[in-house]
Each structure stands twice: as C-alpha cells, then as structure tokens.
Amino acid sequence: WQKIKLAFLCCISAVALKRMLNFNAPPLKNTAAEPVWKVLIYDRFGQDIISPLLSVKELRDMGITLHLLLHSDRDPIPDVPAIYFVMPTEENIDRICQDLRNQLYESYYLNFISAISRSKLEDIASAALAANAVTQVTKVFDQYLNFITLEDDMFILCHQNKELISYHAINRADIQDTDMEAIMDTIVDSLFCFFVTLGAVPIIRCPRGNAAEMVAVKLDKKLRENLRDARNSLFTGDSMTAGQFSFQRPLFVLVDRNVDMATPLHHTWTYQALIHDVLDFHLNRVVMEEGMGAEPSAGARPKKKSRKTYDLTAADKFWQKHKGSPFPEVAESVQEELDTYRAQEDEVKRLKSIMGLEGEDEGAISMLSDNTAKLTSAVSSLPELLEKKRLIDLHTNVATAVLDHIKSRKLDVYFEFEEKLMSKSTLDKSLLDIISDPDAGTPEDKMRLFLIYYITAQQAPSESDLEQYKKALLDAVCDLSPLNYIKQWKAFTKMAATPANYGNSGVKPMGLFSRVMNTGSQFVMEGVKNLVLKQHNLPVTRILDNLMEMKSHPETDDYRYFDPKMLRGSESSIPRNKNPFQEAIVFVVGGGNYIEYQNLVDYTKSKQGKKIVYGCSELFNASQFIKQLSQLGQK
C-alpha cells in the first residue's frame, strides 16, 4: 500500500477535489446520506483541472446542482452554499469581492488552486467587511492543485494560457531575463503544488545549462524554504496524507525539450498518440465532425455536419487496454468486440421470438421455461450490453476517423521511413521521392519527415543537397521557417557531434491484415501496412533509466543533484543515495507528447515493481510543435 501514492495520481487528485467539494471534510462513507446541495464556481483553470477527473454525474452525486464559470452572468441563489475553485488572480479576486457585495449565495467556501498572497486575502477581508458578509465567508483554503492530471501516471501543468510557458516562449531569441524568471516561477509553482499533493519531497536531478536547470534550482529553493519552517511546512504532520509513500523518496528528473527534438515530430503508430496527432484531442476528450446522412442528391442542400464529443477515460476498459497498442491491433480488437456484441444481441432476439410460440406439446413448454430463465438473465444484462454498444460505437467512429487520415496521408509510409531514419537503418526509398510524391501526405507531413532527417543525420547534408531538398519542399508548398530554426538550433547545440540515439529499432512490415481484411469488416485497411513495433527506449526514457538504476553513463554523469531535505544546499552531482530508485517522476520543460509517455509506460512494464509518472509543461502534437518552430524560425 505504500506505493499507492505514485501509482494512482488520478486517485490522489480526485480525492483532493472530492474533499474540497465536501466543504474540505473527508467524503462521507455512508452513501445513503443525502448530500448537501451546493453550487460550484470555477474559472477556466479550475474547469480544466476538474474535467478529466470528475464527470458531471459524479459532481451531481456530491450535491453539485450547478457548476458555473466565475466570470459568467450568475443569478443570486441566496439559500445555497457556494464552493469556489479559482486561481488567486487580480480579476478573480475582484469578481469574488463583487459576489460578496451582491449577496449572491448563503455562504462562501473559497478554494484557491495555488497559494493566495497575504495582500489579496486582505482585499477579500475588506470586501467582506464592507458588504457585511464576514460570517458568510466560511472557509478559505489553498488547495495546491495547480496541475492537470490526465492519467494515473501523467500530468501537465496547464491547458489555458499554455503559450505563456511554451517551447516558443522559453526559446525566443528576444526573451528578457525578467520574462524568463516569470516563466520559470510559473512552472515551479505548479511543480511545488504537485509535490504537496503527492506528499513527498523528491531527490532532483537535471542537466546543466538549460531551462530544466533553472527550474530545478528554483524548485529546490522553494521546497527547502517550506521544509525549514517546521510549523507551517506542507510536508509534515497530518495536513498531508504523508506516509502513504514508500520508504524511499521518489526521484524527480527534469529534462529540457531540446534533449530530443525528433520524437515530437515523429509520425506515430499507437492508438492514443495517433488520435492526438490527427484528431482534435485534449484533456481526454476527442471532438469530431460527423457528416449527417448520405451524400445529398443534386440540387439538395448539403446537410450540416454535427460535432460529436467523446470522453476517453479510465472507466472505458477498451481504451485502458488498447490506448498504447499499435493501430492495426486496435482495429482488429474493435471488430472482435463488435462480433461478440452482435452475437449477444442475436441471442436476445432469438429468445424473444421463441417466447412468442404457442406451446401445444410438452417439449415446447419445457423449452419455454428453460428460455424464460435465459431471457431473464439476458434482460438483466441489458444495461451492461447497451454500455458496451456505446463504447464499441465510440471506438468504431474514432478508429475510422484515424484510419481515414492514415489512408489519405499514407501515414504508415511516413512512420516506417522515420523509424528507419531514427534507428539509422537502410532506407529502401529516397527521401526526395516521398517529398516529391503529390499523393503522400500534407506539406506539414513532408516537413516533419525532413526535419527528423535533418535532426538525426550524423552529418548535415551538403549545401548543394540541402538546396535540392529545399526546392522539393517549396514545390510541395512547405513553409521553410521551422527548418531555419532547427538549423540555428543544431549549430547552437553542436548536436552533430552526439546526435540523440534512438536505439536500433526498425519496424517489421507484417504484410497485410489477416482477419480485418475480410469484407464484412468495418475496417478495410487495404493499402495500409500492418507495422509491428520493436521496443526501443527514446532519449527521455534512457536518461530516466540511467538515473533510476544509478548507471554511469556519459549522457547523465554530469547531471546536477539536489536534495531539498539537506540543510545546506550542497552543489554536487554526486548522489548520496546508492540504491536504485523504485519510483520516479520525469518532467519535460518545454512540452511533451504521448509518444514519449507511451515509451515510458512500455519501459515500466519490463521493470517489476517500479512506478513512473510522466509530466510536461504542455502537451502538444506535431502540428502544434511545428507552429512553434515556425514562429521561432521566421526571419
């Protein structure tokens, strides 16, 4: 049970939220008791933190009858308590003061996502006094929940205003020192909240000379200052659920996005990462446009497309099982699920028709009583069956939309080619062929492929070769500004000497599909290769492995070491801890992606008993990353 902490990040965050929604008391065990009806007022940050963790039904079960945005027009509900969950910003505080003056609710439970400053608390106190509402402000809490939990082993810092701490923001050529300090403080505040919620003080490791080091230094200082004040420390006493952690403290590895620039651009082959790459997928919700009805006949008005939203959550067993699987396996599994569902549905229909028979002879009567039992059990499993049908429909729709992208853009070809580039395998086709092929992918797909070639090449292409590539890219209507930035970046980091090593993976095309190819299938994957992934560790996973297992490796030997519990901050890269770590959090400053996350999940499966959490300042797909590179590379 001591390892519960890191294994169930969603659980911890959800428990903290439920406690808050229960007026900061532990949620009642007795579910028969009627909940107290109340309203929840949040800002956009609060909404993003809650939405991946609690469904509308769960909120209702906890007595939340209304949930409203702080800055929306709200009517007074004078006989109901209100729970606020907002960032302690200037405009939020002003609005809370206005609510007090307008006497909107019976009582106010103010919960701040991050710690509120003394001066802002005084502003609220003054407003409460002026509005004669001091007794109504029942509680004020700092919740330290300034991060978004997406999975049991994954978190991001923010979704709103993420451009403020993006890769582009950190790597701008014209960035001022004060701006950089502000970005680092924002990141450190969220990471501090993360460790307070976790109830653990980590051992911090980071490389030298980049944004990750700046974050590490500031976080070490912030944790140290909090621990020094024993009376008010957030890591002692029962204010925290301390002690749920294993005896050993977790390792916290901070890395900079610049350590691996190829992976975020890589075309991927696993379900979750593909959805993020080709569909509109954020905060565990995918939004899709669906055509309504068949093609309109000549002269008829085209029908409006409807927008469908699907939540992909831990409650969905199929998603939990297959989100990290290669796409062809997912397509096959959806088909199998559909077949078993249809068989069950047919059985219910068959039993119903038998029930209608006019039983004259003895045989029919006994058959009837036998079938009555079967039908009763079939009917009782109907809700389960309907839920199953909903999930099958969901994944059929999502997987079909993904498959359309794979086919129309030849994403399997890109994936295979990039895997070969990254693992230095021999190429069976020239890069120019793919860039010049008008049927293969979008201009952005071509740019991604070329950037991966440029980043991973042992030797940069000669000027004449580069001109040839540039011409082909321009002919394919590519924007060359991302390449301008990557050229500067490569020259600056002198990556040519030690390009990131992506392992000697290589993918094996396994010929075309066997089962899914049958014509009855919804997924006709003709022309799409069934690529089987060979496991290999990406740079971030390899760095984590070196540090967790205490391996000596040139890549990580120079990493700095911080222990906030040591009284004097000693500057050394010599770890005092000689035992391998069982639990670790790896955090990418400058943005992360589902490919890296999945690689860490796969790595954990091979390590018995180890727990790893992946975090990043923002989660971007290749398209969003290319936009940032493009802004950085504009002349």
Side-chain angles (χ1 to χ4, degrees):
W1 64 274
Q2 281 146 334
K3 287 192 184 162
I4 286 171
K5 218 51 203 257
L6 210 52
F8 301 112
L9 191 54
C10 284
C11 208
I12 301 160
S13 307
V15 165
L17 286 173
K18 284 178 178 172
R19 189 185 177 107
M20 175 188 87
L21 297 174
N22 198 41
F23 306 118
N24 286 291
L28 298 168
K29 290 282 176 285
N30 178 12
T31 47
E34 192 66 24
V36 177
W37 300 114
K38 51 213 169 226
V39 292
L40 169 64
I41 310 295
Y42 45 40
D43 60 0
R44 295 260 178 228
F45 291 94
Q47 187 179 27
D48 286 347
I49 293 165
I50 292 170
S51 77
L53 292 170
L54 299 174
S55 66
V56 174
K57 182 190 177 302
E58 285 173 293
L59 290 175
R60 202 171 297 124
D61 291 345
M62 297 197 65
I64 302 292
T65 49
L66 268 178
H67 37 97
L68 303 162
L69 279 164
L70 176 67
H71 293 282
S72 61
D73 293 330
R74 289 174 282 117
D75 296 323
I77 314 176
D79 50 352
V80 168
I83 294 175
Y84 285 71
F85 184 51
V86 297
M87 286 292 272
T89 60
E90 210 61 68
E91 57 270 28
N92 284 356
I93 302 294
D94 288 350
R95 189 61 193 257
I96 291 170
C97 295
Q98 190 185 321
D99 287 359
L100 291 170
R101 284 194 292 275
N102 295 343
Q103 299 279 321
L104 286 192
Y105 306 110
E106 177 194 68
S107 52
Y108 301 82
Y109 292 79
L110 306 179
N111 296 276
F112 294 102
I113 295 169
S114 258
I116 183 172
S117 65
R118 177 155 187 132
S119 65
K120 287 184 180 144
L121 263 179
E122 287 167 357
D123 292 346
I124 294 176
S126 313
L129 266 170
N132 200 11
V134 176
T135 52
Q136 288 165 280
V137 179
T138 316
K139 291 274 172 76
V140 180
F141 278 92
D142 291 331
Q143 288 294 349
Y144 294 100
L145 283 170
N146 191 12
F147 58 94
I148 299 171
T149 308
L150 294 177
E151 304 273 351
D152 275 336
D153 47 8
M154 181 189 204
F155 70 100
I156 58 175
L157 296 196
C158 64
H159 180 64
Q160 301 294 325
N161 302 358
K162 58 185 174 189
E163 60 284 349
L164 299 179
I165 57 169
S166 65
Y167 181 84
H168 170 256
I170 296 170
N171 291 282
R172 281 194 350 251
D174 59 348
I175 189 163
Q176 304 289 316
D177 285 356
T178 48
D179 296 344
M180 193 64 161
E181 287 287 322
I183 293 171
M184 297 299 123
D185 287 340
T186 304
I187 293 174
V188 167
D189 177 66
S190 286
L191 290 174
F192 180 74
C193 289
F194 174 81
F195 286 108
V196 169
T197 303
L198 212 56
V201 181
I203 303 276
I204 306 170
R205 302 296 307 268
C206 72
R208 294 173 186 272
N210 55 24
E213 182 182 28
M214 293 172 76
V215 171
V217 171
K218 280 179 174 286
L219 181 63
D220 174 62
K221 181 168 180 267
K222 189 158 182 154
L223 287 166
R224 195 179 290 282
E225 282 169 358
N226 189 267
L227 289 164
R228 195 178 296 142
D229 178 4
R231 267 197 334 210
N232 297 315
S233 171
L234 295 157
F235 295 95
T236 50
D238 54 335
S239 61
M240 274 316 307
T241 37
Q244 276 193 25
F245 224 94
S246 60
F247 295 113
Q248 193 191 30
R249 286 155 61 198
L251 170 71
F252 184 46
V253 179
L254 276 153
V255 291
D256 194 285
R257 181 67 272 156
N258 286 311
V259 77
D260 171 13
M261 295 285 274
T263 300
L265 297 165
H266 188 16
H267 286 86
T268 171
W269 202 232
T270 55
Y271 192 33
Q272 186 178 35
L274 260 170
I275 292 173
H276 191 229
D277 192 6
V278 302
L279 302 177
D280 175 8
F281 178 53
H282 51 264
L283 301 183
N284 298 348
R285 180 167 290 166
V286 67
V287 181
M288 285 167 33
E289 285 210 340
E290 297 194 342
M292 289 166 71
E295 288 293 304
S297 55
R301 286 170 61 184
K303 295 212 174 167
K304 218 171 112 203
K305 286 194 167 174
S306 70
R307 284 169 74 77
K308 276 267 168 78
T309 3
Y310 299 116
D311 289 322
L312 297 170
T313 63
D316 178 345
K317 298 278 193 301
F318 184 88
W319 175 246
Q320 281 307 93
K321 189 177 173 189
H322 292 291
K323 63 184 181 193
S325 308
F327 186 72
E329 276 179 32
V330 176
E332 199 155 345
S333 302
V334 171
Q335 190 58 42
E336 281 168 13
E337 291 277 324
L338 197 59
D339 292 347
T340 45
Y341 168 76
R342 282 190 180 140
Q344 285 171 299
E345 197 180 40
D346 290 346
E347 177 65 1
V348 175
K349 283 182 186 155
R350 193 181 68 79
L351 291 169
K352 275 186 176 165
S353 70
I354 290 174
M355 299 301 273
L357 55 81
E358 300 302 315
E360 309 297 315
D361 59 341
E362 289 297 304
I365 301 292
S366 65
M367 196 171 143
L368 190 63
S369 58
D370 184 29
N371 281 311
T372 308
K374 278 191 189 167
L375 186 66
T376 311
S377 103
V379 169
S380 64
S381 65
L382 210 55
E384 203 179 300
L385 210 57
L386 288 170
E387 175 60 8
K388 201 170 181 183
K389 175 80 168 83
R390 185 186 72 80
L391 293 176
I392 293 169
D393 288 347
L394 182 162
H395 289 288
T396 304
N397 293 342
V398 171
T400 307
V402 170
L403 181 59
D404 290 344
H405 280 274
I406 295 174
K407 284 180 172 174
S408 63
R409 289 161 55 186
K410 296 193 178 173
L411 297 185
D412 48 333
V413 176
Y414 279 95
F415 168 69
E416 191 182 2
F417 201 90
E418 288 164 5
E419 283 279 314
K420 286 179 176 168
L421 281 175
M422 290 163 85
S423 60
K424 315 274 182 286
S425 311
T426 46
L427 304 171
D428 50 359
K429 197 173 181 180
S430 90
L431 189 60
L432 271 173
D433 284 353
I434 298 189
I435 294 172
S436 316
D437 178 354
D439 296 331
T442 61
E444 193 180 83
D445 289 326
K446 294 175 187 202
M447 196 68 214
R448 283 164 66 176
L449 173 67
F450 183 72
L451 289 178
I452 289 173
Y453 157 71
Y454 193 86
I455 290 165
T456 57
Q458 302 284 60
Q459 268 176 319
S462 65
E463 275 308 310
S464 62
D465 282 357
L466 191 58
E467 283 312 312
Q468 200 181 353
Y469 282 126
K470 276 183 167 175
K471 185 184 177 308
L473 288 164
L474 285 169
D475 290 345
V477 213
C478 293
D479 167 20
L480 293 186
S481 23
L483 177 60
N484 300 336
Y485 175 73
I486 291 292
K487 276 175 77 174
Q488 296 165 9
W489 168 81
K490 196 156 181 171
F492 181 70
T493 46
K494 301 187 177 54
M495 284 290 278
T498 55
N501 174 18
Y502 292 88
N504 50 353
S505 76
V507 288
K508 295 197 227 115
M510 294 293 284
L512 287 172
F513 262 163
S514 46
R515 261 201 79 248
V516 184
M517 288 305 297
N518 67 28
T519 44
S521 164
Q522 302 227 346
F523 292 98
V524 186
M525 294 200 43
E526 276 154 291
V528 175
K529 287 180 179 164
N530 181 3
L531 300 166
V532 173
L533 295 158
K534 262 177 75 180
Q535 280 314 316
H536 57 286
N537 286 345
L538 292 173
V540 169
T541 306
R542 214 174 43 248
I543 289 166
L544 181 78
D545 179 52
N546 293 339
L547 296 170
M548 255 187 120
E549 301 294 347
M550 312 300 286
K551 294 176 184 170
S552 175
H553 193 284
E555 197 173 18
T556 49
D557 284 348
D558 194 33
Y559 270 46
R560 291 185 66 179
Y561 178 97
F562 298 90
D563 182 351
K565 280 193 170 178
M566 300 293 286
L567 286 172
R568 283 186 301 283
S570 57
E571 287 302 305
S572 84
S573 54
I574 298 125
R576 273 162 217 78
N577 173 13
K578 292 284 177 277
N579 300 323
F581 286 87
Q582 290 305 305
E583 297 173 334
I585 298 116
V586 61
F587 185 85
V588 188
V589 179
N593 53 75
Y594 281 113
I595 308 175
E596 238 159 29
Y597 162 66
Q598 194 53 52
N599 196 249
L600 280 164
V601 170
D602 293 340
Y603 164 80
T604 317
K605 284 176 187 163
S606 65
K607 301 278 174 188
Q608 207 59 46
K610 295 215 185 260
K611 300 277 181 284
I612 295 172
V613 165
Y614 177 72
C616 49
S617 43
E618 63 161 325
L619 195 61
F620 48 50
N621 61 18
S623 182
Q624 292 155 341
F625 189 44
I626 282 239
K627 279 197 187 82
Q628 295 192 31
L629 298 181
S630 175
Q631 291 169 324
L632 290 164
Q634 275 160 8
K635 289 278 195 286

